[in-house]
Amino acid sequence: MAEESRDSLEAVRAEKLKRIAGLGIDPWGQRFDDHRAIADVRALDVAKPQEGETPEPGPAVRIAGRIMLRRGQGKVVFLEVRDWTERIQVFIGKKQVGEQSWSLVDELDLGDLIGVDGTLGYTKTGELTVFATELTFLGKSLTPPPEKWHGLTDQEMRYRRRYVDLFANPESLQTFLARSKIIRTFRKVMEERGFIEVETPTMQSIAGGAAARPFTTHHNALDIDLFLRIAPELYLKRLLVGGMERVFEIGRVYRNEGISPKHNPEFTMMEAYQAYGDYHSMMDLTEALICGAIEAIGGGYQRPWGEKTVDFRAPWPRRTYHDLLREYAEVDPGDFDAVKARAERAGIATVGKDRDVVISELFEALVEDNLVGPVFVIDYPAAICPLTKRKASNPEVAERFELFVDGIELANAYTELNDPVLQETLFRSQLAGMAAEESMAKMDDDFVRALKHAMPPAGGLGVGMDRLCMLLLNKASIRDVVLFPLMRPQVSQAGAVDVEDESEI
């Protein structure tokens, strides 16, 4: 649709808006109580006529939704009306609705919001239909909906104008309703296991709890710089010290890093901490959470993922970090000369790097993509896990796991380090090698102080909710499961935000 044509159509709709107001009707709608979800209406028991029989009227119903299709003329019009649960055909006859409601019919456009009172039944062709007896106007769409939405291949405008994507593309709406079910199920499972949901600061004076680059902001009243949180971890652990034995938080975290199909700078994470647990407790919890989410959204445990199928039936395998290195990198992690040689053959620089950093980069390069999973990778090198308790039998190994599915990390968990002396030592050694702009580039003295009051032994878990939704719902990009992903603003030559023709999105 050219710009001139769109302007012309919008002008026609603006005139209709005036005529609706001229009928004494508020074109922006009114309260419309007691309407039913269209899915519930469609589920009502209505006798379907046999061939040649006259359809019998069914129960009285009241629905509300957006007009998606229109056909017919003269004294009979058919509409398709859709709400966030389903769609249904609406029959409007001048004789059936009366003069007042019929006066609205010529002013109705695709995209308008209407309420319909009527009876449910079948047409002679067998289509379940609401036979309208009264219309209520609920909102005028001044911009025509997209004409070429079906078959769309360019995703960018679907992300930029999610409000159009949701009503024009039912699959997209169902994706986000399923995402809501997943998050709601997480809360239900956590509550059933005795956890309480808490809220911790999203603006923090020290960016801690993970290794990432933070976003910075400034608090004018206090005249201090703050960081958007990269993780809620250190605050949640303070709550363990305070006696809140099982806590979790589902919230947004922010990392000033790259954007890709698997990364968004602002994302949703669930973190949980269980006093008197360990990383094995967190594996059991992770299985319960994800299996519960699968049950909630349906579709079974063997789920499509691109061209693959992932089997989520529990229990999931538990493989040690070093065993996987031996299998896929074909090197003994204890032989550092062999590790360096293998890393260099894989194109990984080794000069000046700590042994465990080289091993970690080798693992990322040669192992992770082979982890079809779901699989728990357990027992990481301690040097790359500064917040994790060491194994009593081997202090060089940290009691940590990461959950992988098809090379994607979904969850990260520890047996939490609760020794304040060791924690302070590890913080200081970590700080020595970090650039000032990186996270945790400042000692969190208050967190160490909290540990000195005795934090119970505990297991801690973090789950990336966006990635999990992407996998369970079989979406190729994390943007497909984030309602409003971060996008570069579109600017015209004049400096104003560009507004493209929606028919071309």
Side-chain angles (χ1 to χ4, degrees):
M1 187 191 304
E3 187 74 23
E4 183 178 346
S5 175
R6 185 185 65 187
D7 289 345
S8 175
L9 290 175
E10 289 188 358
V12 170
R13 287 174 176 244
E15 287 300 317
K16 290 184 177 182
L17 180 79
K18 293 177 182 178
R19 290 199 293 269
I20 291 170
L23 294 171
I25 298 171
D26 182 352
W28 303 116
Q30 58 189 285
R31 183 171 178 173
F32 193 71
D33 290 335
D34 302 325
H35 63 280
R36 301 182 66 172
I38 292 177
D40 293 342
V41 169
R42 295 190 68 94
L44 292 174
D45 186 14
V46 181
K48 189 171 185 178
Q50 300 297 316
E51 187 175 349
E53 291 183 349
T54 301
E56 293 292 332
V61 295
R62 174 175 251 215
I63 64 168
R66 188 181 296 273
I67 300 172
M68 302 304 296
L69 290 172
R70 174 176 175 152
R71 59 186 176 85
Q73 56 186 358
K75 297 181 180 181
V76 173
V77 170
F78 287 92
L79 306 177
E80 180 185 295
V81 175
R82 184 182 297 158
D83 68 5
W84 68 338
T85 65
E86 255 288 5
R87 43 79 49 197
I88 198 165
Q89 179 171 269
V90 174
F91 168 89
I92 307 174
K94 182 176 181 180
K95 178 180 178 182
Q96 288 78 11
V97 299
E99 290 293 338
Q100 184 173 2
S101 287
W102 186 253
S103 63
L104 269 175
V105 173
D106 284 343
E107 315 306 337
L108 297 180
D109 287 307
L110 299 187
D112 287 354
L113 301 171
I114 62 168
V116 181
D117 289 281
T119 58
L120 186 65
Y122 284 92
T123 62
K124 292 180 180 179
T125 59
E127 177 77 13
L128 188 64
T129 300
V130 176
F131 293 86
T133 56
E134 185 178 353
L135 301 180
T136 303
F137 198 78
L138 297 176
K140 187 67 184 171
S141 173
L142 293 177
T143 298
E147 295 178 355
K148 302 176 184 177
W149 198 268
H150 299 289
L152 175 69
T153 56
D154 179 8
Q155 296 287 341
E156 182 174 341
M157 290 310 294
R158 293 177 68 173
Y159 301 147
R160 290 187 182 277
R161 299 185 186 175
R162 186 69 82 188
Y163 45 87
V164 178
D165 178 34
L166 291 173
F167 75 71
N169 186 348
E171 181 187 359
S172 181
L173 176 59
Q174 292 307 311
T175 292
F176 290 102
L177 295 179
R179 176 192 168 105
S180 180
K181 282 185 182 179
I182 291 170
I183 294 175
R184 188 164 66 246
T185 301
F186 265 52
R187 287 192 164 98
K188 180 174 181 287
V189 171
M190 297 302 285
E191 182 179 353
E192 289 171 347
R193 289 175 171 246
F195 287 80
I196 63 166
E197 186 170 8
V198 298
E199 295 174 317
T200 61
T202 57
M203 292 191 300
Q204 303 176 354
S205 58
I206 298 172
R213 178 170 293 185
F215 288 94
T216 59
T217 186
H218 186 79
H219 192 295
N220 291 332
L222 297 178
D223 193 24
I224 58 172
D225 289 331
L226 295 170
F227 302 97
L228 298 183
R229 70 178 177 191
I230 57 174
E233 177 169 346
L234 301 187
Y235 282 94
L236 292 172
K237 288 181 179 178
R238 287 170 167 93
L239 299 181
L240 292 182
V241 174
M244 301 177 74
E245 295 184 1
R246 296 191 179 203
V247 295
F248 78 99
E249 182 171 10
I250 298 176
R252 307 295 270 177
V253 294
Y254 309 86
R255 300 185 182 180
N256 197 355
E257 298 169 347
I259 297 176
S260 77
K262 300 177 185 177
H263 297 87
N264 197 56
E266 175 186 12
F267 61 97
T268 300
M269 179 185 290
M270 190 209 77
E271 282 209 16
Y273 293 86
Q274 177 180 333
Y276 314 117
D278 65 3
Y279 71 143
H280 292 288
S281 310
M282 297 299 101
M283 286 185 236
D284 296 339
L285 177 61
T286 303
E287 285 181 344
L289 287 164
I290 295 177
C291 289
I294 290 171
E295 289 289 337
I297 61 176
Y301 285 94
Q302 293 181 302
R303 306 191 68 82
W305 172 237
E307 297 180 354
K308 303 176 183 178
T309 298
V310 178
D311 188 347
F312 282 93
R313 288 176 294 181
W316 302 332
R318 303 178 182 191
R319 302 287 309 279
T320 70
Y321 187 95
H322 284 175
D323 282 349
L324 288 167
L325 266 173
R326 293 186 185 96
E327 180 176 346
Y328 292 107
E330 299 179 331
V331 66
D332 182 353
D335 183 348
F336 190 45
D337 288 337
V339 167
K340 285 199 298 184
R342 184 68 185 91
E344 287 165 0
R345 289 202 304 276
I348 299 169
T350 63
V351 176
K353 291 183 180 177
D354 181 83
R355 170 182 177 274
D356 284 330
V357 171
V358 175
I359 290 175
S360 176
E361 292 182 4
L362 187 62
F363 188 92
E364 291 176 5
L366 299 183
V367 178
E368 289 185 1
D369 285 346
N370 292 293
L371 302 176
V372 176
V375 57
F376 291 114
V377 178
I378 66 173
D379 298 346
Y380 276 64
I384 61 173
C385 308
L387 297 167
T388 312
K389 194 169 186 176
R390 277 66 181 135
K391 292 184 78 70
S393 59
N394 184 357
E396 293 187 357
V397 174
E399 292 189 351
R400 172 188 179 183
F401 79 73
E402 290 186 337
L403 173 65
F404 284 90
V405 174
D406 196 33
I408 300 173
E409 177 206 337
L410 285 186
N412 187 19
Y414 309 148
T415 300
E416 299 298 335
L417 180 61
N418 60 344
D419 176 344
V421 176
L422 179 56
Q423 182 66 89
E424 184 171 8
T425 300
L426 292 173
F427 272 163
R428 293 194 184 284
S429 64
Q430 183 186 45
L431 294 175
M434 297 190 72
E437 69 271 15
E438 296 293 336
S439 68
M440 300 174 69
K442 181 180 178 182
M443 171 69 73
D444 192 337
D445 294 308
D446 183 68
F447 176 66
V448 175
R449 184 184 303 117
L451 292 184
K452 290 180 179 179
H453 287 279
M455 186 183 94
L461 168 67
V463 180
M465 300 304 298
D466 303 329
R467 285 185 180 178
L468 175 64
C469 292
M470 181 178 74
L471 277 159
L472 294 186
L473 301 175
N474 192 23
K475 299 300 177 183
S477 170
I478 206 166
R479 294 183 177 192
D480 293 326
V481 296
V482 174
L483 277 168
F484 299 103
L486 184 65
M487 306 286 288
R488 188 187 302 277
Q490 291 185 304
V491 180
S492 68
Q493 291 183 351
V497 175
D498 244 349
V499 181
E500 295 84 2
D501 174 12
E502 295 213 51
S503 70
E504 312 212 347
I505 63 178

mmCIF file of all heavy atoms in Angstrom, residues 11 32 45 103 105 114-115 125 140 176 183 188 233 254 279 312 328 366 375 393 395 399 438 448 494:
data_model
loop_
_atom_site.group_PDB
_atom_site.id
_atom_site.type_symbol
_atom_site.label_atom_id
_atom_site.label_comp_id
_atom_site.label_asym_id
_atom_site.label_seq_id
_atom_site.Cartn_x
_atom_site.Cartn_y
_atom_site.Cartn_z
ATOM 1 N N ALA A 11 -8.155 8.680 5.831
ATOM 2 C CA ALA A 11 -9.094 9.797 5.763
ATOM 3 C C ALA A 11 -10.530 9.287 5.723
ATOM 4 O O ALA A 11 -11.431 9.865 6.354
ATOM 5 C CB ALA A 11 -8.794 10.661 4.538
ATOM 6 N N PHE A 32 -18.306 -2.953 28.653
ATOM 7 C CA PHE A 32 -19.080 -4.012 28.001
ATOM 8 C C PHE A 32 -18.951 -5.270 28.850
ATOM 9 O O PHE A 32 -18.096 -6.126 28.620
ATOM 10 C CB PHE A 32 -18.559 -4.231 26.578
ATOM 11 C CG PHE A 32 -19.476 -5.069 25.722
ATOM 12 C CD1 PHE A 32 -20.686 -4.562 25.269
ATOM 13 C CD2 PHE A 32 -19.120 -6.358 25.366
ATOM 14 C CE1 PHE A 32 -21.523 -5.327 24.456
ATOM 15 C CE2 PHE A 32 -19.956 -7.129 24.556
ATOM 16 C CZ PHE A 32 -21.159 -6.614 24.104
ATOM 17 N N ASP A 45 -22.737 -26.418 23.800
ATOM 18 C CA ASP A 45 -23.413 -27.541 23.147
ATOM 19 C C ASP A 45 -24.540 -27.005 22.265
ATOM 20 O O ASP A 45 -25.573 -26.532 22.767
ATOM 21 C CB ASP A 45 -23.971 -28.487 24.215
ATOM 22 C CG ASP A 45 -24.554 -29.759 23.613
ATOM 23 O OD1 ASP A 45 -24.280 -30.024 22.423
ATOM 24 O OD2 ASP A 45 -25.302 -30.468 24.325
ATOM 25 N N SER A 103 -27.509 0.888 11.559
ATOM 26 C CA SER A 103 -26.885 2.146 11.143
ATOM 27 C C SER A 103 -25.373 2.127 11.329
ATOM 28 O O SER A 103 -24.647 2.913 10.717
ATOM 29 C CB SER A 103 -27.484 3.316 11.927
ATOM 30 O OG SER A 103 -27.207 3.185 13.320
ATOM 31 N N VAL A 105 -23.496 -0.584 10.624
ATOM 32 C CA VAL A 105 -22.849 -1.583 9.778
ATOM 33 C C VAL A 105 -22.005 -0.953 8.679
ATOM 34 O O VAL A 105 -20.867 -1.372 8.413
ATOM 35 C CB VAL A 105 -23.903 -2.555 9.197
ATOM 36 C CG1 VAL A 105 -23.251 -3.499 8.180
ATOM 37 C CG2 VAL A 105 -24.551 -3.353 10.319
ATOM 38 N N ILE A 114 -15.832 -4.495 18.233
ATOM 39 C CA ILE A 114 -17.275 -4.465 18.433
ATOM 40 C C ILE A 114 -17.691 -5.479 19.494
ATOM 41 O O ILE A 114 -16.986 -6.450 19.762
ATOM 42 C CB ILE A 114 -18.063 -4.751 17.134
ATOM 43 C CG1 ILE A 114 -17.765 -6.154 16.602
ATOM 44 C CG2 ILE A 114 -17.791 -3.693 16.080
ATOM 45 C CD1 ILE A 114 -18.727 -6.597 15.498
ATOM 46 N N GLY A 115 -18.857 -5.219 20.086
ATOM 47 C CA GLY A 115 -19.517 -6.190 20.934
ATOM 48 C C GLY A 115 -20.761 -6.693 20.226
ATOM 49 O O GLY A 115 -21.419 -5.944 19.492
ATOM 50 N N THR A 125 -24.824 -23.817 5.770
ATOM 51 C CA THR A 125 -23.590 -24.440 5.274
ATOM 52 C C THR A 125 -22.783 -25.086 6.397
ATOM 53 O O THR A 125 -21.685 -25.595 6.157
ATOM 54 C CB THR A 125 -22.715 -23.395 4.555
ATOM 55 O OG1 THR A 125 -22.397 -22.333 5.471
ATOM 56 C CG2 THR A 125 -23.437 -22.840 3.336
ATOM 57 N N LYS A 140 -12.708 2.383 17.234
ATOM 58 C CA LYS A 140 -12.453 2.565 15.805
ATOM 59 C C LYS A 140 -10.976 2.398 15.498
ATOM 60 O O LYS A 140 -10.104 3.000 16.149
ATOM 61 C CB LYS A 140 -12.906 3.964 15.370
ATOM 62 C CG LYS A 140 -12.836 4.208 13.864
ATOM 63 C CD LYS A 140 -13.848 3.341 13.156
ATOM 64 C CE LYS A 140 -13.757 3.463 11.647
ATOM 65 N NZ LYS A 140 -14.595 2.455 10.979
ATOM 66 N N PHE A 176 2.774 -16.097 23.065
ATOM 67 C CA PHE A 176 2.925 -15.319 24.293
ATOM 68 C C PHE A 176 1.966 -15.765 25.391
ATOM 69 O O PHE A 176 2.280 -15.652 26.577
ATOM 70 C CB PHE A 176 2.817 -13.828 23.984
ATOM 71 C CG PHE A 176 4.009 -13.335 23.223
ATOM 72 C CD1 PHE A 176 3.950 -13.127 21.863
ATOM 73 C CD2 PHE A 176 5.219 -13.143 23.877
ATOM 74 C CE1 PHE A 176 5.076 -12.716 21.152
ATOM 75 C CE2 PHE A 176 6.346 -12.729 23.187
ATOM 76 C CZ PHE A 176 6.275 -12.517 21.821
ATOM 77 N N ILE A 183 5.684 -19.335 32.757
ATOM 78 C CA ILE A 183 6.112 -18.566 33.925
ATOM 79 C C ILE A 183 5.164 -18.795 35.096
ATOM 80 O O ILE A 183 5.595 -18.939 36.254
ATOM 81 C CB ILE A 183 6.213 -17.075 33.558
ATOM 82 C CG1 ILE A 183 7.347 -16.881 32.536
ATOM 83 C CG2 ILE A 183 6.454 -16.216 34.797
ATOM 84 C CD1 ILE A 183 7.476 -15.472 32.002
ATOM 85 N N LYS A 188 3.992 -21.722 40.386
ATOM 86 C CA LYS A 188 3.186 -22.751 41.053
ATOM 87 C C LYS A 188 4.080 -23.841 41.636
ATOM 88 O O LYS A 188 3.915 -24.258 42.793
ATOM 89 C CB LYS A 188 2.194 -23.340 40.055
ATOM 90 C CG LYS A 188 1.282 -24.427 40.611
ATOM 91 C CD LYS A 188 0.249 -24.821 39.555
ATOM 92 C CE LYS A 188 -0.702 -25.887 40.072
ATOM 93 N NZ LYS A 188 -0.050 -27.213 40.168
ATOM 94 N N GLU A 233 21.499 -12.345 42.454
ATOM 95 C CA GLU A 233 22.075 -13.385 43.309
ATOM 96 C C GLU A 233 22.492 -12.905 44.695
ATOM 97 O O GLU A 233 22.119 -13.496 45.719
ATOM 98 C CB GLU A 233 23.281 -14.023 42.599
ATOM 99 C CG GLU A 233 23.996 -15.061 43.440
ATOM 100 C CD GLU A 233 25.010 -15.859 42.649
ATOM 101 O OE1 GLU A 233 24.986 -15.805 41.397
ATOM 102 O OE2 GLU A 233 25.829 -16.541 43.273
ATOM 103 N N TYR A 254 19.880 -7.236 33.167
ATOM 104 C CA TYR A 254 20.387 -6.417 32.062
ATOM 105 C C TYR A 254 21.888 -6.647 31.902
ATOM 106 O O TYR A 254 22.644 -6.500 32.861
ATOM 107 C CB TYR A 254 20.120 -4.936 32.344
ATOM 108 C CG TYR A 254 18.691 -4.654 32.716
ATOM 109 C CD1 TYR A 254 18.263 -4.765 34.043
ATOM 110 C CD2 TYR A 254 17.754 -4.290 31.752
ATOM 111 C CE1 TYR A 254 16.944 -4.526 34.393
ATOM 112 C CE2 TYR A 254 16.435 -4.048 32.094
ATOM 113 C CZ TYR A 254 16.037 -4.164 33.413
ATOM 114 O OH TYR A 254 14.728 -3.940 33.764
ATOM 115 N N TYR A 279 23.791 -28.570 44.795
ATOM 116 C CA TYR A 279 23.509 -28.520 43.368
ATOM 117 C C TYR A 279 22.710 -29.731 42.896
ATOM 118 O O TYR A 279 22.018 -29.668 41.876
ATOM 119 C CB TYR A 279 24.770 -28.287 42.549
ATOM 120 C CG TYR A 279 25.789 -29.397 42.432
ATOM 121 C CD1 TYR A 279 26.482 -29.606 41.226
ATOM 122 C CD2 TYR A 279 26.128 -30.215 43.501
ATOM 123 C CE1 TYR A 279 27.448 -30.568 41.093
ATOM 124 C CE2 TYR A 279 27.089 -31.203 43.379
ATOM 125 C CZ TYR A 279 27.747 -31.383 42.169
ATOM 126 O OH TYR A 279 28.708 -32.358 42.051
ATOM 127 N N PHE A 312 12.478 -34.550 26.464
ATOM 128 C CA PHE A 312 12.595 -33.955 27.789
ATOM 129 C C PHE A 312 12.157 -34.903 28.909
ATOM 130 O O PHE A 312 12.014 -34.468 30.051
ATOM 131 C CB PHE A 312 11.759 -32.674 27.863
ATOM 132 C CG PHE A 312 12.398 -31.482 27.203
ATOM 133 C CD1 PHE A 312 12.124 -31.172 25.876
ATOM 134 C CD2 PHE A 312 13.270 -30.667 27.903
ATOM 135 C CE1 PHE A 312 12.705 -30.071 25.268
ATOM 136 C CE2 PHE A 312 13.864 -29.562 27.305
ATOM 137 C CZ PHE A 312 13.580 -29.258 25.981
ATOM 138 N N TYR A 328 34.919 -35.198 23.614
ATOM 139 C CA TYR A 328 34.756 -34.385 22.403
ATOM 140 C C TYR A 328 36.011 -33.618 21.997
ATOM 141 O O TYR A 328 36.216 -33.359 20.812
ATOM 142 C CB TYR A 328 33.584 -33.418 22.586
ATOM 143 C CG TYR A 328 32.257 -34.121 22.645
ATOM 144 C CD1 TYR A 328 31.555 -34.241 23.840
ATOM 145 C CD2 TYR A 328 31.708 -34.700 21.497
ATOM 146 C CE1 TYR A 328 30.328 -34.904 23.893
ATOM 147 C CE2 TYR A 328 30.492 -35.365 21.537
ATOM 148 C CZ TYR A 328 29.812 -35.462 22.744
ATOM 149 O OH TYR A 328 28.606 -36.126 22.784
ATOM 150 N N LEU A 366 34.503 -26.796 21.520
ATOM 151 C CA LEU A 366 34.459 -28.158 20.997
ATOM 152 C C LEU A 366 33.409 -29.059 21.630
ATOM 153 O O LEU A 366 33.082 -30.107 21.082
ATOM 154 C CB LEU A 366 35.835 -28.823 21.162
ATOM 155 C CG LEU A 366 37.005 -28.160 20.429
ATOM 156 C CD1 LEU A 366 38.276 -28.957 20.626
ATOM 157 C CD2 LEU A 366 36.692 -28.010 18.940
ATOM 158 N N VAL A 375 20.905 -32.207 29.092
ATOM 159 C CA VAL A 375 21.964 -32.860 29.855
ATOM 160 C C VAL A 375 22.513 -31.880 30.876
ATOM 161 O O VAL A 375 22.719 -30.705 30.583
ATOM 162 C CB VAL A 375 23.081 -33.375 28.921
ATOM 163 C CG1 VAL A 375 23.664 -32.264 28.067
ATOM 164 C CG2 VAL A 375 24.182 -34.075 29.711
ATOM 165 N N SER A 393 36.310 -33.536 48.139
ATOM 166 C CA SER A 393 37.290 -34.522 47.684
ATOM 167 C C SER A 393 38.302 -33.947 46.703
ATOM 168 O O SER A 393 39.348 -34.557 46.469
ATOM 169 C CB SER A 393 36.563 -35.691 47.020
ATOM 170 O OG SER A 393 35.788 -35.242 45.922
ATOM 171 N N PRO A 395 39.414 -29.853 45.767
ATOM 172 C CA PRO A 395 39.163 -28.403 45.803
ATOM 173 C C PRO A 395 39.312 -27.706 44.453
ATOM 174 O O PRO A 395 38.910 -26.550 44.320
ATOM 175 C CB PRO A 395 40.222 -27.885 46.789
ATOM 176 C CG PRO A 395 40.714 -29.074 47.516
ATOM 177 C CD PRO A 395 40.522 -30.246 46.628
ATOM 178 N N GLU A 399 31.247 -27.420 42.690
ATOM 179 C CA GLU A 399 29.957 -28.111 42.632
ATOM 180 C C GLU A 399 28.955 -27.227 41.880
ATOM 181 O O GLU A 399 28.129 -26.534 42.455
ATOM 182 C CB GLU A 399 29.462 -28.439 44.040
ATOM 183 C CG GLU A 399 30.332 -29.481 44.731
ATOM 184 C CD GLU A 399 29.727 -29.982 46.030
ATOM 185 O OE1 GLU A 399 28.720 -29.405 46.498
ATOM 186 O OE2 GLU A 399 30.249 -30.963 46.583
ATOM 187 N N GLU A 438 34.008 -3.747 33.561
ATOM 188 C CA GLU A 438 33.349 -5.038 33.681
ATOM 189 C C GLU A 438 32.586 -5.131 34.991
ATOM 190 O O GLU A 438 32.799 -4.368 35.927
ATOM 191 C CB GLU A 438 34.388 -6.174 33.596
ATOM 192 C CG GLU A 438 35.094 -6.262 32.265
ATOM 193 C CD GLU A 438 34.168 -6.669 31.129
ATOM 194 O OE1 GLU A 438 33.130 -7.303 31.383
ATOM 195 O OE2 GLU A 438 34.468 -6.329 29.972
ATOM 196 N N VAL A 448 30.127 -9.748 51.776
ATOM 197 C CA VAL A 448 31.061 -10.519 52.612
ATOM 198 C C VAL A 448 30.688 -10.368 54.086
ATOM 199 O O VAL A 448 30.716 -11.337 54.862
ATOM 200 C CB VAL A 448 32.510 -10.068 52.354
ATOM 201 C CG1 VAL A 448 33.467 -10.771 53.303
ATOM 202 C CG2 VAL A 448 32.903 -10.340 50.896
ATOM 203 N N ALA A 494 15.143 13.113 7.659
ATOM 204 C CA ALA A 494 14.794 14.363 8.333
ATOM 205 C C ALA A 494 15.029 14.280 9.835
ATOM 206 O O ALA A 494 14.862 15.260 10.541
ATOM 207 C CB ALA A 494 13.333 14.707 8.067
#
